[in-house]
Each structure stands twice: as structure tokens, then as C-alpha cells.
């Protein structure tokens, strides 16, 4: 039986990842009051590690208290949080997967409710209820969330320090790969897009100006993240709406990201504004892979990858690796089930008597 390219190892800097089917970062909104991982995270990520993904990408983790989406997000700014993440990384590694974490600064999409109270990004949480004032490149609100404060140079310096500290803490916690969240309409994305960045100073205007602070964010992460470990950026390839970031612009940004030490671009799209369409076609982000690859950096993608045929179509022709989101919420063993091999070759030996 031929081995699909999806199940072959991938090397990024000194890291060898056993296969190219990875868990996509997905917020669990289940941190304790100090932003520390809980038993939920340990079992949730541990089950997916047993489930055969090459890399477990832990959810978007705030670089500072006011950079989180909700008060239930994980953080990486305190020693207590580092110790909690150490539990996660040693568990994921001992179960055969590579522990990675996505760090993020939510920008104007900050300080809202958790999704299961049926509100999520539609319900701002004000200071009186334990929320905080969001920062963004320009004072333009996302939907009904608070109007963010326009970032000053001083705010920018502070955010860059937060990112450096989170990268250093991710290393100390034992993560092998780091992803900077540059998409989903968060701070990095807000700077890149002409729809959310109306600045007239050096951080706005032309694409060169709009990508300046995002590049500084990457450099801030790279500085305290070890040279032998890969840095990935989740990058929007298009805002999917008129007047927004274009694929050509994103390709130019990707090339610059390669020059400042980014080892892989994780393709995303849309979500900057509530009006952007939410594509449902299989492989919709992966299809941008060949175009983005012209930037000279390996590419990954998530987005409606549901079947073994999708994996075969994606890897290696469209992207170098895939990240699987919602199917892995429904089934931690999705990656094992989709493998077209004798279960005794892929499933953990403890489960062989099931077959
Ligand atoms: C519950 C949930 C939480 C998510 N949280 C994050 C996140 O923390 N960071 C991120 O970049 N994307 C996040 N996403 C997006 C997923 O990582 C993924 O890119 C998206 O769901 C598309 O892939 P899929 O079709 O396989 O689900 C989240 C998605 C879901 C469903």
C-alpha cells in the first residue's frame, strides 16, 4: 500500500515532525482564573496526541492579560502559567506528538464573552465585569465589541515586549514549535489590512507601512525563541472582501516573513470583518498554497479538510502540511481513523485488541 505523503515526516530547522496532519489551534476557553491550563487542557490535548497527529498546536494563548479574547483564554506571561504549560508539553511529548503553541494578541477582538453562552464576539465584556479596553491600529470596532484605543508608540513597545516574553516562556515550557497568530482579525491582521488600519504614521498607509508592526511582532518573537526551533505565522491570504488584503499583498508579506526568520506560513482567510464570507468548500485555504509558495517559505493550511482524498490532494501539491480543526473536536482519533493502513500499524498498542 502506498504511503500518502501526509504520513511522511517533515523537518523544520532542527525539528522533525513525524507526520503532516496536525491539530489546528482551537481555543477551549477553559483556563483557570490565572490563565493557567487546567485538567481539561491536559486530557483534551493528550487525547489528540494519542490520536496520532504529528503536532499538537495548543490554542491561541495570550501574550498579556489585555491581549486575550476572553478572560478564560490561556496565557504565557506568568511563572504559574509556564508551570501549567510544562505539564501539557511533557504529556503531549510522552504520547508521541510534538508540542507547539500559538501565541496571540487579539487587538480589537479582545474582551468578549465565551461562545457557549451564545454570545462570543457579539458580547463585549466591559471593565465593570472584569473586561479590559482593547488596543488596535485604528479606533474602529469589530461588530458590537468596544471601540478600541488607537495604539501609541509606547503601547507598541509594550506589546513587542509581551510577545518576546511569551516566546521565551513558550520555550521554557518545553514547546518545540511556536506559531504567532497573524490572522482571525487579531492585532497582526488588523495592522496588515487597509480596512482596519487607517493610520497615517509609519505603521499605516502603503503595504510597506501596514506590514511594519507585524514584522516587528515576528522579530520580537524570534529574538527570544531559540534558533534551532521553528517559528510559524498564521497569515491571512485574503480578507475575502472588496478593499481588503489581497493575495498578491499577502504573498509579498510572506516573502518578508521568510527574511525575518519565519519557517512556515499557515494560510488563513477572511474573519477580519463580520461581513466576510465563510467559505465551506474543501481545501479553500490550501488552494492558495501554490501562489503563497512563490514567496519561498513552506506552507500549511487548515479549512474544510475532511477526507483522506483531501489529504492526498493537499499534500504535497498544494501545501507541505495540514492542520485539522473541527473534525478533531468531534473525534480525537480522526487522524488514526483516516489512515488507510492496518490499524495495528497506526493505532497505539494498548488499543490493538479492539481490531
Ligand atoms: C472552537 C474553535 C476555536 C478556534 N480557535 C482558534 C484559535 O485559537 N486560533 C486560530 O488560529 N484558529 C482558531 N480556530 C480556527 C481553527 O484553527 C481552524 O483554522 C478552522 O476551524 C478551519 O479548520 P477546520 O475546517 O478543520 O475546522 C478555532 C476554530 C474553532 C472551531
Amino acid at each position: 500500500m502506498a504511503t500518502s505523503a501526509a504520513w511522511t515526516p517533515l523537518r523544520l530547522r532542527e525539528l522533525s515532525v513525524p507526520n503532516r496532519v496536525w491539530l489546528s489551534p482551537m481555543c477551549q476557553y477553559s483556563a483557570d482564573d490565572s490563565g493557567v491550563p487546567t485538567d481539561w487542557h491536559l486530557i483534551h490535548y493528550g487525547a489528540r496526541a494519542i490520536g496520532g497527529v504529528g503536532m499538537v498546536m495548543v490554542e491561541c494563548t495570550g501574550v498579556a492579560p489585555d491581549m486575550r479574547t476572553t478572560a478564560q483564554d490561556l496565557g504565557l506571561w506568568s511563572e504559574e502559567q509556564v508551570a501549567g504549560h510544562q505539564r501539557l508539553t511533557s504529556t503531549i511529548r510522552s504520547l508521541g506528538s510534538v508540542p507547539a503553541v500559538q501565541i496571540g494578541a487579539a487587538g480589537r477582538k479582545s474582551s468578549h464573552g465565551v461562545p457557549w453562552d451564545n454570545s462570543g464576539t457579539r458580547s463585549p465584556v466591559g471593565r465593570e465585569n472584569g473586561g479590559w479596553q482593547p488596543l488596535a491600529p485604528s479606533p474602529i470596532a469589530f461588530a458590537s465589541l468596544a471601540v478600541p484605543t488607537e495604539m501609541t508608540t509606547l503601547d507598541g513597545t509594550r506589546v513587542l515586549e509581551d510577545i518576546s516574553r511569551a516566546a521565551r516562556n513558550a520555550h521554557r515550557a518545553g514547546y518545540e514549535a511556536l506559531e504567532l497568530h497573524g490572522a482571525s482579525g487579531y492585532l497582526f491582521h488588523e495592522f496588515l489590512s487597509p480596512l482596519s488600519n487607517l493610520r497615517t504614521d509609519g505603521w499605516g498607509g502603503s503595504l510597506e507601512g501596514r506590514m511594519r508592526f507585524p514584522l516587528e511582532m515576528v522579530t520580537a518573537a524570534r529574538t527570544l525563541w531559540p534558533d534551532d526551533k521553528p517559528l510559524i505565522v498564521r497569515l491571512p491570504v485574503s480578507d475575502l472582501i472588496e478593499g481588503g488584503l489581497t493575495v498578491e499583498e499577502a504573498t509579498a508579506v510572506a516573502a518578508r516573513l521568510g527574511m525575518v526568520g519565519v519557517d512556515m506560513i499557515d494560510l488563513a482567510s477572511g474573519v477580519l470583518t463580520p461581513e466576510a464570507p465563510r467559505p465551506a468548500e474543501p481545501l479553500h485555504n490550501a488552494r492558495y498554497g501554490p501562489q503563497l509558495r512563490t514567496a519561498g517559505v513552506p506552507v500549511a493550511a487548515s479549512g474544510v479538510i475532511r477526507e483522506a482524498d483531501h489529504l492526498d490532494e493537499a499534500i504535497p501539491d498544494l501545501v507541505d502540511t495540514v492542520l485539522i480543526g473541527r473534525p478533531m473536536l468531534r473525534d480525537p482519533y480522526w487522524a488514526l481513523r483516516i489512515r488507510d493502513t492496518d490499524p495495528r500499524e497506526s493505532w497505539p498498542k494498548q488499543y490493538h485488541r479492539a481490531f
Side-chain angles (χ1 to χ4, degrees):
M1 196 179 302
T3 303
S4 159
W7 307 108
T8 61
L10 178 73
R11 199 173 176 82
L12 292 170
R13 297 208 180 203
E14 296 306 309
L15 177 68
S16 181
V17 190
N19 67 52
R20 295 152 186 254
V21 180
W22 303 354
L23 177 69
S24 204
M26 283 180 288
C27 266
Q28 298 297 297
Y29 310 103
S30 300
D32 74 9
D33 291 343
S34 306
V36 175
T38 59
D39 288 350
W40 176 268
H41 296 98
L42 202 67
I43 307 298
H44 168 73
Y45 290 116
R48 273 108 196 125
I50 291 176
V53 289
M55 182 184 280
V56 168
M57 179 81 73
V58 169
E59 69 205 65
C60 188
T61 295
V63 300
D66 67 338
M67 294 290 134
R68 293 171 298 169
T69 62
T70 78
Q72 287 73 40
D73 292 12
L74 293 178
L76 257 173
W77 63 83
S78 75
E79 290 307 304
E80 208 187 345
Q81 291 163 351
V82 172
H85 282 276
Q86 273 162 355
R87 262 177 99 210
L88 275 187
T89 59
S90 62
T91 301
I92 294 165
R93 193 179 294 108
S94 76
L95 296 172
S97 192
V98 171
V101 66
Q102 183 189 61
I103 55 170
R108 68 178 183 170
K109 277 191 165 176
S110 185
S111 200
H112 60 73
V114 294
W116 48 78
D117 62 13
N118 202 24
S119 52
T121 50
R122 288 186 297 282
S123 79
V125 175
R127 283 209 177 103
E128 63 290 359
N129 292 314
W132 51 89
Q133 173 58 27
L135 284 177
S138 300
I140 312 166
F142 176 86
S144 53
L145 294 183
V147 177
T149 303
E150 183 175 281
M151 267 175 63
T152 62
T153 314
L154 209 59
D155 293 325
T157 304
R158 195 269 289 180
V159 171
L160 297 177
E161 285 168 4
D162 291 338
I163 291 170
S164 290
R165 181 184 54 209
R168 178 167 165 271
N169 283 343
H171 168 60
R172 292 173 62 229
Y175 286 109
E176 306 287 347
L178 181 69
E179 178 166 279
L180 180 63
H181 197 347
S184 293
Y186 291 178
L187 193 65
F188 184 112
H189 188 174
E190 289 159 21
F191 268 96
L192 276 187
S193 176
L195 296 174
S196 45
N197 181 350
L198 305 183
R199 298 180 76 100
T200 52
D201 61 5
W203 285 345
S206 63
L207 179 65
E208 190 62 32
R210 283 182 278 122
M211 73 164 103
R212 193 163 284 132
F213 190 70
L215 290 174
E216 290 181 44
M217 292 173 82
V218 171
T219 301
R222 227 328 145 204
T223 310
L224 294 187
W225 179 246
D227 278 349
D228 58 346
K229 292 185 176 182
L231 176 64
I232 304 169
V233 170
R234 182 163 275 203
L235 181 74
V237 294
S238 164
D239 286 337
L240 304 178
I241 43 173
E242 191 71 29
L245 187 78
T246 65
V247 184
E248 292 69 30
E249 288 182 319
T251 308
V253 174
R256 296 289 288 277
L257 293 175
M259 290 176 204
V260 291
V262 172
D263 303 293
M264 177 168 256
I265 307 286
D266 174 8
L267 314 178
S269 56
V271 208
L272 178 81
T273 60
E275 302 79 40
R278 294 193 169 245
E281 311 88 66
L283 298 161
H284 62 87
N285 289 323
R287 293 199 195 287
Y288 293 104
Q291 160 73 24
L292 267 288
R293 267 180 175 160
T294 62
V297 183
V299 292
S302 63
V304 195
I305 297 165
R306 298 287 181 267
E307 299 164 8
D309 284 354
H310 295 161
L311 296 183
D312 290 340
E313 193 181 341
I315 307 170
D317 290 351
L318 303 179
V319 291
D320 298 285
T321 190
V322 295
L323 294 107
I324 308 296
R326 289 160 291 177
M328 297 285 299
L329 291 183
R330 289 194 288 269
D331 178 5
Y333 305 130
W334 186 88
L336 295 175
R337 285 189 218 280
I338 205 130
R339 278 187 90 148
D340 188 16
T341 51
D342 178 349
R344 286 171 178 265
E345 285 172 23
S346 43
W347 284 73
K349 57 183 179 303
Q350 291 89 337
Y351 295 166
H352 283 184
R353 287 175 70 187
F355 297 99

